[in-house]
Amino acid sequence: MPKERTQKKSRQHREVCQQGILFRKDSGQHILKNPLVINSIIDKAALSPTDVVLEVGPGTGNMTVKLLERCKKVIACEIDPRLVAELQKRVQGTPLASKLQVIVGDVLKTDLPFFDVCVANLPYQISSPFVFKLLLHRPFFRCAVLMFQREFAQRLVAEPGSKLYCRLSVNTQLLARVNHLMKVSKNNFRPPPKVESSVVRIEPRNPPPPINFKEWDGLTRVAFVRKNKTLNSSFRCKAVLELMEKNYRLHCSVNSITIPHDFNAKNKVTELLEKSGLADKRPREMDGDEFLSLLATFNDGGIHFS
């Protein structure tokens, strides 16, 4: 084995021995080790002494300890019992111990408690489902400051017309104001991930738009399957027309509306797209207000997406 590789493995082995834990990369266990980055993230959360903070994936507690020093309480959600033990050992016998509550389990399968602010270095594989779990959580929280893979963060904040603008962008921005705060190099983690990272601030819109989010999500799902095609083209695909006709017939049945014997789904969809004034628009160019207008036009015409 080459000397350089041997030395690298030896350094990794020493780090593991010192820490006492072998981190699982496949579970997204990349511990943020740079105290300057940790302090910067916490500063950007603008915590007050009365805040309850939700932290997801606290790891060995590098960020948790600093959060405990600044707020009323930290609720830490961790799936790995080894790391839970390490975290509890770290605060045991200190005044911080009484301010820490640990939830052991998968955050995606856990009912989130009340909290004011969420601060987390997330396992990147749960980024998308966790963001929407967070945004649909009630009661409202003030903000979330979250670490993501760089490209995911860029998609969250992407604007209409940009290369990375997608369904994630428009869905997130419907429910929240999203800002990119800082870039974080992979060298700030142990073990280093293969990708670069970014920190994003998410502030939920309160009150939220008065719509059914499942319907909204269904509409954008159809639209972004072919985001570079016009709506007129995307919504006239056979599979889409079949889905919309099924939903229309269900709507009419539930509301005791008689369906004309010559009903044609393609003609109905074309009529509503023309009425919306968006038939020739491409989803990658449309902002949230245009999607809201499109959804309202379809709903007024009896076509739903949930």
Side-chain angles (χ1 to χ4, degrees):
M1 182 180 292
K3 184 177 180 181
E4 184 178 337
R5 286 184 60 192
T6 304
Q7 289 176 341
K8 184 177 179 181
K9 292 191 75 173
S10 297
R11 284 198 304 271
Q12 290 175 340
H13 178 72
R14 285 198 302 273
E15 285 186 356
V16 169
C17 290
Q18 289 168 2
Q19 190 70 38
I21 293 173
L22 180 61
F23 298 116
R24 297 167 179 165
K25 292 184 181 181
D26 57 345
S27 298
Q29 291 181 350
H30 299 281
I31 307 303
L32 185 58
K33 64 180 183 179
N34 187 331
L36 295 178
V37 175
I38 292 171
N39 286 336
S40 182
I41 290 172
I42 295 174
D43 287 343
K44 292 179 186 301
L47 299 177
S48 76
T50 59
D51 279 337
V52 174
V53 177
L54 174 69
E55 185 185 11
V56 180
T60 56
N62 292 346
M63 185 180 293
T64 316
V65 170
K66 293 181 180 292
L67 287 170
L68 287 167
E69 292 170 351
R70 299 228 201 158
C71 67
K72 177 182 177 181
K73 179 180 181 181
V74 172
I75 302 170
C77 191
E78 174 58 61
I79 197 170
D80 189 335
R82 301 173 311 142
L83 297 181
V84 171
E86 183 71 20
L87 174 59
Q88 291 175 327
K89 183 170 65 176
R90 190 162 181 172
V91 299
Q92 188 176 15
T94 74
L96 301 179
S98 62
K99 299 167 67 176
L100 175 65
Q101 175 187 341
V102 179
I103 298 175
V104 185
D106 184 344
V107 70
L108 297 180
K109 298 176 182 177
T110 301
D111 291 333
L112 297 181
F114 167 82
F115 60 94
D116 298 295
V117 177
C118 178
V119 181
N121 171 27
L122 287 172
Y124 290 165
Q125 61 265 38
I126 69 166
S127 295
S128 186
F130 180 72
V131 165
F132 289 105
K133 182 181 179 75
L134 204 57
L135 290 176
L136 297 174
H137 174 67
R138 299 295 181 271
F140 283 98
F141 56 95
R142 188 167 73 249
C143 74
V145 177
L146 307 172
M147 181 89 72
F148 294 116
Q149 180 177 334
R150 178 80 47 81
E151 185 174 318
F152 183 88
Q154 291 172 331
R155 290 181 185 278
L156 285 178
V157 301
E159 297 181 353
S162 70
K163 183 179 178 181
L164 290 175
Y165 188 67
C166 61
R167 192 165 67 92
L168 173 68
S169 316
V170 72
N171 282 5
T172 306
Q173 292 168 30
L174 170 80
L175 298 174
R177 285 174 284 274
V178 192
N179 299 105
H180 184 281
L181 297 180
M182 58 188 286
K183 295 179 179 179
V184 181
S185 166
K186 54 189 172 187
N187 296 325
N188 292 294
F189 299 86
R190 185 179 64 247
K194 294 180 180 179
V195 296
E196 301 293 350
S197 302
S198 282
V199 178
V200 170
R201 178 187 172 92
I202 298 176
E203 185 180 341
R205 299 187 189 277
N206 185 8
I211 62 166
N212 181 327
F213 184 73
K214 287 186 178 179
E215 278 232 50
W216 167 274
D217 189 51
L219 170 69
T220 58
R221 190 181 298 274
V222 171
F224 277 96
V225 166
R226 306 166 74 194
K227 73 174 185 177
N228 295 317
K229 299 288 186 181
T230 64
L231 292 178
N232 207 27
S233 173
S234 295
F235 280 82
R236 290 168 68 179
C237 292
K238 182 179 178 181
V240 174
L241 287 173
E242 288 175 353
L243 170 66
M244 296 175 82
E245 179 173 358
K246 178 183 175 183
N247 288 350
Y248 178 72
R249 291 186 179 279
L250 178 61
H251 168 76
C252 291
S253 174
V254 170
N255 292 280
S256 301
I257 299 172
T258 302
I259 301 175
H261 69 279
D262 61 346
F263 173 76
N264 181 288
K266 184 175 180 180
N267 292 342
K268 180 73 172 177
V269 169
T270 300
E271 172 195 335
L272 293 174
L273 284 174
E274 292 297 333
K275 184 178 179 181
S276 74
L278 297 166
D280 294 325
K281 292 283 286 189
R282 303 174 196 277
R284 64 177 173 81
E285 302 168 340
M286 294 172 60
D287 61 24
D289 288 340
E290 288 174 312
F291 277 109
L292 285 170
S293 175
L294 180 64
L295 180 60
T297 302
F298 274 126
N299 284 176
D300 289 345
I303 291 182
H304 296 264
F305 294 88
S306 61

